[in-house]
């Protein structure tokens, strides 16, 4: 009889970003493990299937609740904990896996995924009430977990040192890349990109929530340092949710938008995002800190060379295929971008290296490592 695994999927109520993509892809890959049966908690109820889309109006509703309801985070958690426990009384599970920093209380073995320590190193990049909630739960959760899944060797070593546990408590399961991220012919991209006024191969791309940790300011500064002809030929396109502090980029973005040097596309559905990524000439990813850096892998899988910072886990993902920059050197970043735009042979070499590098990562591999951890934990 398959072993029943309880998986917290409540994050999928929101539009999918990094952790949501991780959960959805991992769950789909785990479904192929015949000896495991997954049941998903959506914040209110338990289901056998993942939701296909986010809850309509979730982002707006969540913002209103946080604004008008005192102690919104603890109150929501208390309500969800009650529903979580009630459901498991009816259908007990042999193991609970939570992809977040704040797992629910569970009377049994628990596995959690610790994607990064951004809440430790860059608390200023998240709202204070969210950091307070993480501080209340994260350290206790790591202590309580039988195993902690992490996305990279960098985070495994960092977490072991910070929390004071042996490194074997932390299991590295590198992320994979959805099949929709693949090289595409320009003629297949012209129609979907036309709605944004974009031409395949004629724009630079940044992907990520507009928050300080993503360091999009460097990308804007570097783009401004390009020659005017390059800036006009290759506008800077930013895709991602507005985040909680978009005003820090507004003035410079408005100037670039008015001059036609930048486009802000906001959050885009999965299929369209894959087309936008595939149509880019380069991905610019100057993040200050990442637990993995999924957009880097997605760009390489799409045949798009990546200009990225040599920070945290990012070199583990890009390896020798990446073109590395310093996070505070906009002039150096501009020089790297210019070289890749003007040297077709170098661009082709980086493209080929990225495609080869991307083949080392898969959701099947991530799921296999995770499933092995489940089995080990349930028999220990």
């Amino acid at each position: 009889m398959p072993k029943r695994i309880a998986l917290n999927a409540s994050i999928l109520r929101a539009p999918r970003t990094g952790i949501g993509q991780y959960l959805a892809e991992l769950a789909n890959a785990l479904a192929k493990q015949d000896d495991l049966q997954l049941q998903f908690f959506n914040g209110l109820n338990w289901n056998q299937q993942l939701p296909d889309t986010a809850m309509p109006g979730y982002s707006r509703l969540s913002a209103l609740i946080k604004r008008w309801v005192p102690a919104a985070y603890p109150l929501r958690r208390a309500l969800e904990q009650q529903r979580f426990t009630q459901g498991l009384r009816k259908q007990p599970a042999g193991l609970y896996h939570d992809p977040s920093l704040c797992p629910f209380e569970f009377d049994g073995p628990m596995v959690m995924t610790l994607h990064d320590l951004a809440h430790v190193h860059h608390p200023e990049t998240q709202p204070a009430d969210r950091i307070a909630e993480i501080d209340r739960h994260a350290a206790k959760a790591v202590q309580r977990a039988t195993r902690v899944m992490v996305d990279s060797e960098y985070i495994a070593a960092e977490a072991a040192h910070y929390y004071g546990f042996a490194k074997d408590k932390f299991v590295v399961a590198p992320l994979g890349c959805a099949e929709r991220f693949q090289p595409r012919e320009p003629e297949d991209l012209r129609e979907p990109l036309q709605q944004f006024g974009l031409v395949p191969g004629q724009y630079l791309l940044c992907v990520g929530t507009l928050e300080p940790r993503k360091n999009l300011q460097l990308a804007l500064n570097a783009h401004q340092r390009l020659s005017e002809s390059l800036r006009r030929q290759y506008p800077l396109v930013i895709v991602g949710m507005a985040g909680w502090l978009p005003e820090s980029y507004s003035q410079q973005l408005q100037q670039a938008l008015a001059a036609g040097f930048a486009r802000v596309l906001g959050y885009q559905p999965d299929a369209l995002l894959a087309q936008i990524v595939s149509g880019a000439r380069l991905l610019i990813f100057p993040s200050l800190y990442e637990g993995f850096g999924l957009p880097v892998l997605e760009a390489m899988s799409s045949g798009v060379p990546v200009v990225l910072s040599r920070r945290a886990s990012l070199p583990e993902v890009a390896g020798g295929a990446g073109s590395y920059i310093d996070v505070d050197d906009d002039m150096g970043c501009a020089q790297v971008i210019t070289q890749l735009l003007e040297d077709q042979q170098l661009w082709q070499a980086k493209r080929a290296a990225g495609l080869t590098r991307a083949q080392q990562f898969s959701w099947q591999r991530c799921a296999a490592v995770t499933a092995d951890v489940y089995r080990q934990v349930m028999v220990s």
Side-chain angles (χ1 to χ4, degrees), residues 235-299:
L236 183 65
V237 174
I238 300 173
V239 177
M241 297 184 68
W244 69 279
L245 197 61
E247 61 270 17
S248 60
Y249 306 102
S250 294
Q251 183 176 0
Q252 191 172 7
L253 269 178
Q254 289 296 334
Q255 294 173 348
L257 288 166
F261 294 140
R263 316 275 174 85
V264 177
L265 307 188
Y267 179 85
Q268 296 297 326
D270 292 345
L272 190 50
L273 174 61
Q275 294 170 319
I276 294 169
V277 171
S278 184
R281 187 65 174 176
L282 301 173
L283 176 74
I284 315 300
F285 200 78
S287 181
L288 299 176
Y289 177 85
E290 294 289 331
F292 186 80
L294 196 52
V296 171
L297 179 57
E298 293 168 344

Side-chain angles (χ1 to χ4, degrees), residues 20 35 51 60 78 81 88 95 118 120 125 135 151 170 216 219 226 230 234 240-241 250 264-265 337 339:
D35 62 329
R60 184 172 180 273
Q81 176 71 65
L88 287 177
L95 181 144
V120 174
T125 67
D135 287 344
D151 303 339
F170 303 88
L216 298 183
L226 300 180
L230 285 178
Y234 299 99
M241 297 184 68
S250 294
V264 177
L265 307 188
I337 293 171
Q339 187 177 20

Side-chain angles (χ1 to χ4, degrees), residues 280-352:
R281 187 65 174 176
L282 301 173
L283 176 74
I284 315 300
F285 200 78
S287 181
L288 299 176
Y289 177 85
E290 294 289 331
F292 186 80
L294 196 52
V296 171
L297 179 57
E298 293 168 344
M300 293 192 304
S301 296
S302 303
V304 177
V306 181
V307 177
L308 73 166
S309 56
R310 196 184 294 275
R311 284 291 186 95
S313 64
L314 291 176
E316 283 185 55
V317 180
S323 297
Y324 293 96
I325 57 171
D326 293 330
V327 295
D328 56 359
D329 184 5
D330 51 84
M331 177 64 80
C333 182
Q335 291 172 346
V336 171
I337 293 171
T338 299
Q339 187 177 20
L340 283 165
L341 294 178
E342 295 182 340
D343 188 335
Q344 178 66 15
Q345 187 174 0
L346 176 62
W347 183 90
Q348 288 285 2
K350 287 294 184 180
R351 180 181 189 274

